[in-house]
Amino acid sequence: VNTTDPGYYKWTQWLFLQFYKAGLAYEATGLINWCPKDKTGLANEEVIDGKCERCGSVVEKKELRQWYLKITAYAEKLLQGLKALNEWPEAVKLQQENWVGKKTGINITYNFGQQTNFLILHCRGGSSKSDFYPGLRKFLEGQGFAVQVPDLPNSEEPNDVEQMNFVKTHCRVDANTVIIGHSFGGVVAMRLLEQGVKAKKLILVSTPYSGKFLDGKPRVSVTAAVNRGFDFEKIKANVGSVIAIYDSGDKVIPLTDGQQLANELGVNLTTVRAAKPHFHAADEPDVVKSVLPQVVCFTTRPDTNFGATFVVLGPEHPLLADRNILNIEPAIWENIEAYKQKAANEAEAERTAENRKKSGVFTGLYCVNALNDYRMPLYVADYVLGNVGTGAVVGVPGHDKRDFEFAQVFNIPVVRVVQKDANDVGPIDSVEKVQEDEGVMVNSGFLDGLGIHEATEKIMDYMVAQGYGRRVVNYKLRDWVFSRQRYWGEPIPIIHCPECGIVPVPEKDLPVKLPPVKKYQPTGTGQSPLAAISKWVNVKCPKCKAPAKRETNTMPQWAGSSWYWLRYTDPKNKKEFASLKKQKYWTPVDVYFGGMEHTTLHLLYSRFWNLFLHDQGLVSAKEPYQKRKPHGIILGPDGEKMSKSRGNVVNPQDVVKLYGADTLRMFELFLGPHEDTIAWNDQSMVGIKRFLDRVWAWANEQATGNRQQTTQSGEPEKVRRALHKLIKKITEDIESFSFNTAVSSFMEFHNTVKDEPVSATTIKTFLKLLYPFAPHMSEELNQLLGQSATKRASSLQTEAWPQYDPKLIVDNTVEIVVQINGKVKSRLTVPHNAPEAEVTRQAMPVAGGQNIKRVIFVPNRLINFVI
């Protein structure tokens, strides 16, 4: 198969559309890893020690519109699947487990103690009793906020002015009110602000703006309301800040409505992919919570929360996307912006390194610890990654060394809440005294006297019951950035329509081919070179036939390789990517060879694709690979990993011209153990060439009759035993991937029999064993040995693998080492399995009459006299 052939990547595009239809491929704007040399975005797995896996450049952060694959939805399945892979090395499974990074704990929500109240205005056809709002209302009330969800009049055919007047009459709205307007409720909210009503914040969730609906259903009153237009200057003047949240897969409100509305209001658009389009109950609480003035911290040690004295946001945290979200003072915001820029230019590995001096910026805000009402200062600090987990941590400096180091820099109180033993008293005034071990709770109210494990369960139950904690399972794994800003790569089969939003390319129009270009270098602007090819970009929408544009980002290099083994089973199929019947015959893959560096790249990605396709009923095997065998790394002449991107590869064609392909093959296998890192050194290439030359001469003499001829029965026993030992050794070495010792065994065999009379049958058996290592020469010699005047010899490909005779692999005699007090003094040749008494009798003269206290005997190996 060729992953760059349109006949192949047609199916890569088709598979992408299956992810999209299942809600696992989505578009969003966010901070991504950016390679300044390759001028493209990178997935997290492509960043090694803060550098681009491909070119080694230091990776930066850049905010771009991207396509993602929701690999996080398969985090648990990726972990569970490892349990059945008994033939995988534990090191490989552990690396996959660590990358997925499962942690069980609790999300704790901290508010700012402000007098905020919430007004939720529902959509057309909604009410306070509908399924849209109970979860959100319960959450907000659990945080101590006052919440109003009025039953707006005539909700089936709403009039925005009538509903606005109803709210003014029946609801309390003031400068501390956050208005959440869902769908048509957002129109009503904007009417309130137009009329001079003041509010703290407006959150628009999938609010219509164009009056056009993707499902085509008429909504006359909604269209009439939005067609009246809005006074955006008055709206902006009467509200502290605005947030717009839209679903990129909404089946009712087009994403373009959100883009246009956000542009009119001068705010950024937040796009998400909801489980139920148009934000039903399952989604709205989580989506809205993410932009409320509250901080959510994940922790596996909530037992220590009585000792929490500060909270830290990572620089990438969504709450820091705009000053108005938290209403941070302008002077402080300038410092935060500068700090965010500094952090964006640092590698994650550098930011999170142990013992690195801590830094940060105080936001001027305080979070309230609901356990003791302690006001915890809120900081921004780069040792927290704002795009990992919740992007925030609660600081417990008495029981976390990184928190302690931060507290020392900013003079934050340190409180002991866990006591290791009776001697573990006094202030925690040095990092060495930070108590991270097990112990008993102290200074922790109703937890005092409990062990940390019992306290953890009790405090989690309490926080959940109080409404500000939620038990969760978190994963380190993040969604896969699946678009690249370069020419080469499969075009993403998506069309962007101003009327219909995101539209998949119809399957009948696949593949979407790359157009010919004069300039294919990455632009560095955040756009692919394809964006400049207007003839290719501009198309008609498949749904409404209006002018539209193709997606110009391309897929990553991992797209085509994430399923290629499936295509191997059925490479010429034009009707489907691979038939289930052929998959069932060929898969799962028996053995997957791969470097350890791909354990968090291809191995992770391809397992994800396979698990998803299995869930869709498109793949027969749940896990793609039965056995995983890591291979080592070859270092180039410069001592670095041999790689095309580094330009330090040895061109195999140059070696073949000098020595031949078989010499190169055997030399590579002879370099060392298969899984080791080995430096390329062609000094021994000549030795391999000489060995193959000797084999050629040895077998050719037999074929031409220029050496002593014999039959199998006439061969010396020495030859027969050596051959059967070789069969056993090569068979076992191939199965265990011990190729270097197999090459040594060929050499040893040849040295043993080269001067002995051997039969043509023995030489042919030798060639069968040599065939996988040196196929060209072995086949040529096979033909010379077996051809006659009337026919050619059959190919070695058709021959059965040789079998050894167990009786002939055991030597008649063995060498026994004779020791005195563990030191070698002599050696004896005795019959195989000679009894201890016979070996002792023959070895006794070595002791020279000394007083023997004890005899240690190992059959067929050694005898040791303790004197």
Side-chain angles (χ1 to χ4, degrees):
V1 302
N2 175 359
T3 62
T4 70
D5 185 89
Y8 179 92
Y9 71 68
K10 166 187 176 178
W11 296 110
T12 306
Q13 293 173 336
W14 184 86
L15 292 170
F16 172 86
L17 292 179
Q18 308 316 302
F19 281 103
Y20 179 77
K21 292 172 185 176
L24 296 183
Y26 66 94
E27 189 184 37
T29 299
L31 278 176
I32 65 161
N33 304 306
W34 178 263
C35 176
K37 182 178 179 182
D38 291 340
K39 297 182 176 63
T40 189
L42 302 172
N44 295 309
E45 293 79 14
E46 294 174 299
V47 180
I48 310 297
D49 296 328
K51 297 178 181 178
C52 172
E53 185 267 343
R54 187 169 179 270
C55 72
S57 300
V58 176
V59 170
E60 302 169 355
K61 292 291 183 182
K62 193 166 187 172
E63 188 165 23
L64 283 179
R65 175 184 65 84
Q66 294 289 310
W67 280 93
Y68 294 81
L69 285 191
K70 201 169 184 178
I71 191 173
T72 52
Y74 274 73
E76 190 61 32
K77 288 187 177 182
L78 286 166
L79 289 176
Q80 293 301 320
L82 294 172
K83 294 179 179 179
L85 300 174
N86 299 323
E87 294 189 76
W88 280 35
E90 288 303 316
V92 173
K93 292 199 281 188
L94 181 62
Q95 199 165 340
Q96 292 251 306
E97 288 172 1
N98 290 341
W99 191 258
V100 176
K102 180 179 180 179
K103 287 185 178 179
T104 302
I106 189 169
N107 277 350
I108 306 174
T109 303
Y110 301 101
N111 65 45
F112 291 90
Q114 301 161 330
Q115 299 301 310
T116 301
N117 62 83
F118 287 85
L119 170 65
I120 301 176
L121 302 177
H122 53 69
C123 64
R124 171 186 176 274
S127 73
S128 63
K129 299 181 179 64
S130 76
D131 73 341
F132 285 86
Y133 310 108
L136 179 59
R137 182 175 192 167
K138 180 181 178 183
F139 166 76
L140 293 172
E141 289 177 341
Q143 299 300 307
F145 295 115
V147 182
Q148 304 169 84
V149 188
D151 280 319
L152 299 178
N154 301 317
S155 61
E156 291 301 324
E157 286 298 333
N159 179 286
D160 52 327
V161 177
E162 179 189 30
Q163 292 195 350
M164 179 265 296
N165 288 328
F166 181 87
V167 173
K168 288 178 69 175
T169 303
H170 294 86
C171 300
R172 178 172 64 88
V173 187
D174 55 35
N176 288 318
T177 301
V178 175
I179 305 176
I180 302 174
H182 178 275
S183 195
F184 189 78
V187 175
V188 178
M190 289 191 286
R191 295 285 181 238
L192 284 167
L193 297 169
E194 283 179 331
Q195 294 298 310
V197 173
K198 300 287 186 181
K200 182 176 185 177
K201 188 188 298 285
L202 171 63
I203 301 176
L204 297 174
V205 183
S206 290
T207 295
Y209 182 57
S210 65
K212 296 178 181 178
F213 305 101
L214 296 177
D215 58 7
K217 295 179 181 178
R219 294 173 176 85
V220 178
S221 59
V222 177
T223 301
V226 299
N227 283 346
R228 282 195 284 273
F230 301 93
D231 189 332
F232 290 107
E233 293 306 314
K234 284 186 178 179
I235 293 170
K236 289 188 283 187
N238 290 320
V239 68
S241 60
V242 180
I243 296 173
I245 308 172
Y246 281 71
D247 175 11
S248 61
D250 202 320
K251 298 293 193 296
V252 179
I253 305 298
L255 186 61
T256 49
D257 276 22
Q259 293 165 340
Q260 293 171 19
L261 196 52
N263 185 57
E264 294 284 4
L265 291 166
V267 299
N268 292 323
L269 178 68
T270 300
T271 58
V272 298
R273 188 66 190 266
K276 280 188 174 182
H278 208 51
F279 296 114
H280 282 60
D283 300 291
E284 187 154 337
D286 286 334
V287 171
V288 176
K289 275 189 290 185
S290 69
V291 293
L292 291 178
Q294 299 170 349
V295 179
V296 179
C297 298
F298 171 79
T299 178
T300 59
R301 290 291 307 276
D303 57 300
T304 62
N305 223 239
F306 276 97
T309 55
F310 65 95
V311 175
V312 175
L313 298 177
E316 305 84 0
H317 198 287
L319 289 175
L320 300 175
D322 187 286
R323 182 183 76 83
N324 293 320
I325 296 175
L326 295 177
N327 292 326
I328 295 173
E329 293 293 328
I332 295 176
W333 182 252
E334 286 185 17
N335 293 333
I336 291 173
E337 285 282 82
Y339 190 80
K340 286 166 60 179
Q341 185 58 49
K342 175 177 173 289
N345 295 325
E346 295 176 331
E348 290 185 3
E350 180 185 355
R351 286 170 52 181
T352 58
E354 288 188 19
N355 302 320
R356 182 174 186 258
K357 186 176 180 181
K358 300 296 184 289
S359 65
V361 178
F362 178 47
T363 64
L365 303 173
Y366 293 83
C367 297
V368 177
N369 187 340
L371 287 171
N372 51 17
D373 292 327
Y374 185 84
R375 295 176 74 244
M376 304 179 292
L378 177 68
Y379 290 85
V380 181
D382 63 0
Y383 80 95
V384 176
L385 302 178
N387 53 356
V388 177
T390 66
V393 299
V394 57
V396 185
H399 305 284
D400 183 279
K401 290 179 180 178
R402 292 196 311 169
D403 292 347
F404 178 85
E405 292 165 351
F406 188 84
Q408 292 295 97
V409 172
F410 291 93
N411 197 29
I412 300 172
V414 180
V415 179
R416 179 193 296 281
V417 292
V418 181
Q419 191 174 27
K420 186 175 182 179
D421 51 42
N423 298 319
D424 193 17
V425 294
I428 299 175
D429 52 13
S430 68
V431 72
E432 291 76 22
K433 293 182 180 180
V434 174
Q435 210 292 93
E436 295 183 326
D437 302 324
E438 294 192 15
V440 176
M441 305 306 300
V442 294
N443 303 320
S444 297
F446 61 87
L447 299 180
D448 282 353
L450 300 178
I452 63 170
H453 301 298
E454 186 180 355
T456 296
E457 292 302 313
K458 188 168 185 176
I459 194 69
M460 284 203 287
D461 289 342
Y462 177 82
M463 289 176 171
V464 171
Q466 294 298 310
Y468 61 85
R470 183 164 64 94
R471 289 177 184 264
V472 293
V473 175
N474 266 7
Y475 301 91
K476 186 180 78 171
L477 184 67
R478 285 170 267 172
D479 280 348
W480 177 4
V481 178
F482 198 70
S483 46
R484 300 291 181 269
Q485 294 69 46
R486 55 192 175 212
Y487 170 77
W488 56 272
E490 299 87 345
I492 294 175
I494 290 293
I495 291 171
H496 298 275
C497 173
E499 302 295 327
C500 305
I502 293 174
V503 181
V505 170
E507 293 179 8
K508 66 180 179 60
D509 294 336
L510 299 179
V512 178
K513 296 182 181 179
L514 285 170
V517 293
K518 292 181 179 179
K519 187 177 180 181
Y520 60 83
Q521 288 79 7
T523 63
T525 64
Q527 281 196 313
S528 158
L530 293 172
I533 308 172
S534 57
K535 186 177 180 181
W536 183 83
V537 172
N538 295 317
V539 293
K540 289 185 178 180
C541 172
K543 290 179 69 175
C544 71
K545 308 306 178 186
K549 293 184 180 295
R550 290 193 187 279
E551 172 62 56
T552 57
N553 284 337
T554 56
M555 297 187 202
Q557 64 265 39
W558 304 104
S561 64
S562 289
W563 69 280
Y564 65 83
W565 74 95
L566 296 167
R567 189 63 175 176
Y568 281 148
T569 69
D570 198 6
K572 301 186 187 303
N573 194 329
K574 293 184 179 181
K575 294 183 179 179
E576 53 188 338
F577 72 96
S579 77
L580 276 172
K581 181 179 180 181
K582 291 192 175 182
Q583 285 184 51
K584 288 176 181 176
Y585 178 82
W586 286 109
T587 62
V589 174
D590 297 277
V591 186
Y592 172 173
F593 288 92
M596 284 298 290
E597 72 275 17
H598 288 322
T599 302
T600 50
L601 285 164
H602 182 253
L603 192 59
L604 186 73
Y605 293 155
S606 58
R607 287 187 62 226
F608 165 47
W609 279 52
N610 197 89
L611 284 166
F612 166 73
L613 295 175
H614 182 267
D615 285 351
Q616 299 296 308
L618 298 170
V619 165
S620 59
K622 194 170 186 179
E623 284 286 341
Y625 317 116
Q626 275 185 227
K627 189 172 186 176
R628 172 76 160 91
K629 180 65 179 178
H631 66 61
I633 294 173
I634 303 295
L635 304 180
D638 57 357
E640 297 292 329
K641 174 188 172 184
M642 196 180 282
S643 167
K644 289 178 291 185
S645 60
R646 289 188 174 89
N648 62 349
V649 298
V650 173
N651 188 335
Q653 295 300 332
D654 295 339
V655 180
V656 171
K657 286 178 182 177
L658 282 173
Y659 299 107
D662 285 345
T663 300
L664 175 59
R665 286 170 68 98
M666 288 196 75
F667 170 72
E668 288 184 317
L669 297 174
F670 192 52
L671 277 171
H674 183 75
E675 63 277 5
D676 284 7
T677 296
I678 298 168
W680 179 270
N681 182 350
D682 57 9
Q683 296 300 310
S684 58
M685 186 83 72
V686 174
I688 297 291
K689 177 67 164 60
R690 287 173 179 167
F691 166 68
L692 291 177
D693 286 345
R694 289 193 295 271
V695 170
W696 175 268
W698 174 65
N700 202 33
E701 285 179 356
Q702 181 76 22
T704 57
N706 292 330
R707 65 174 288 123
Q708 182 179 352
Q709 303 288 314
T710 186
T711 62
Q712 270 191 295
S713 59
E715 286 177 327
E717 184 176 346
K718 174 182 179 180
V719 171
R720 295 201 304 275
R721 289 188 178 278
L723 179 65
H724 284 264
K725 287 180 180 179
L726 182 68
I727 295 170
K728 181 176 186 292
K729 184 71 167 62
I730 300 302
T731 302
E732 292 174 349
D733 280 354
I734 288 175
E735 290 177 351
S736 64
F737 312 108
S738 303
F739 305 121
N740 59 318
T741 59
V743 175
S744 296
S745 298
F746 283 124
M747 294 175 176
E748 291 170 7
F749 172 80
H750 183 259
N751 285 334
T752 299
V753 305
K754 63 183 179 180
D755 298 321
E756 302 289 338
V758 296
S759 66
T761 303
T762 291
I763 291 180
K764 180 160 184 174
T765 301
F766 176 83
L767 294 176
K768 290 179 186 178
L769 299 173
L770 186 65
Y771 182 63
F773 297 80
H776 309 89
M777 191 183 85
S778 299
E779 187 65 87
E780 180 71 13
L781 286 170
N782 176 58
Q783 294 299 324
L784 291 173
L785 276 173
Q787 69 184 6
S788 66
T790 58
K791 67 174 183 177
R792 287 173 55 84
S794 61
S795 170
L796 288 174
Q797 295 183 47
T798 66
E799 299 281 352
W801 188 253
Q803 303 296 314
Y804 65 87
D805 184 344
K807 296 177 183 177
L808 293 175
I809 63 171
V810 179
D811 289 323
N812 288 336
T813 60
V814 294
E815 186 178 73
I816 296 286
V817 173
V818 182
Q819 298 176 336
I820 293 181
N821 288 349
K823 293 183 179 180
V824 178
K825 297 296 183 180
S826 183
R827 299 176 189 274
L828 297 174
T829 299
V830 300
H832 184 261
N833 284 339
E836 180 179 354
E838 177 59 25
V839 175
T840 302
R841 184 187 66 77
Q842 294 191 39
M844 191 62 74
V846 178
Q850 299 181 75
N851 182 24
I852 298 173
K853 293 183 178 180
R854 186 158 55 98
V855 175
I856 300 170
F857 177 66
V858 180
N860 299 316
R861 290 187 60 191
L862 67 82
I863 186 167
N864 180 27
F865 296 124
V866 181
I867 63 172

